[in-house]
Amino acid sequence: MSLPTGPHSARTGAFGIDIGGSGIKGAPVDLVVGEFSADRVRIPTPQPATPEAVAAAVAELIDSFNLPLDMPVGVTFPAVIQHGVALSAANVDDSWIGTNVEKVIAKATGRSVHAVNDADAAGYAEAVYGAARGHSG
């Protein structure tokens, strides 16, 4: 499942996860305004940062919030991501290469998950909600 493509989507909320080499950050996000709808929580990234260990940490972080069971999860990940699969691994264990990030996180959390490269997500958010909103090029 894909997350909504803009502020006029029928879905108004999702849970955002940013997986990094030293920390995993997460918070519910209001997709209408592009802002957190609760305080962000940060936990250390497990070492080694294998798919199983990171997925368990993400599930723990999500479970620390009282969220609707149907709330989708958007994951930003430090790798080239194609159709949910990590084609590289930066600051996480090399065992991620070839791993379907969406499937691993979905299995651990029981939620619908969409994963993208972290820098791509930042650029998209800037275009939809930030200074680039309404500008071409």
Side-chain angles (χ1 to χ4, degrees):
M1 176 192 137
S2 294
L3 288 178
T5 58
H8 301 293
S9 165
R11 180 165 301 280
T12 60
F15 193 84
I17 293 281
D18 177 39
I19 296 172
S22 64
I24 299 172
K25 287 81 63 187
V29 178
D30 180 326
L31 297 174
V32 175
V33 295
E35 296 178 1
F36 295 145
S37 55
D39 288 340
R40 181 189 75 138
V41 171
R42 181 189 185 282
I43 61 174
T45 301
Q47 299 302 322
T50 63
E52 297 76 19
V54 169
V58 167
E60 181 181 322
L61 193 153
I62 290 171
D63 288 346
S64 72
F65 288 83
N66 184 20
L67 303 174
L69 294 176
D70 66 343
M71 180 175 275
V73 174
V75 175
T76 64
F77 196 78
V80 174
I81 301 286
Q82 224 172 42
H83 305 288
V85 177
L87 302 181
S88 64
N91 301 316
V92 291
D93 195 80
D94 283 347
S95 61
W96 278 102
I97 299 171
T99 298
N100 189 310
V101 176
E102 294 174 346
K103 288 182 179 179
V104 168
I105 303 295
K107 183 178 179 186
T109 63
R111 295 175 181 273
S112 173
V113 174
H114 184 71
V116 296
N117 170 268
D118 49 3
D120 289 346
Y124 180 77
E126 189 65 29
V128 174
Y129 302 107
R133 183 178 185 176
H135 296 278
S136 63

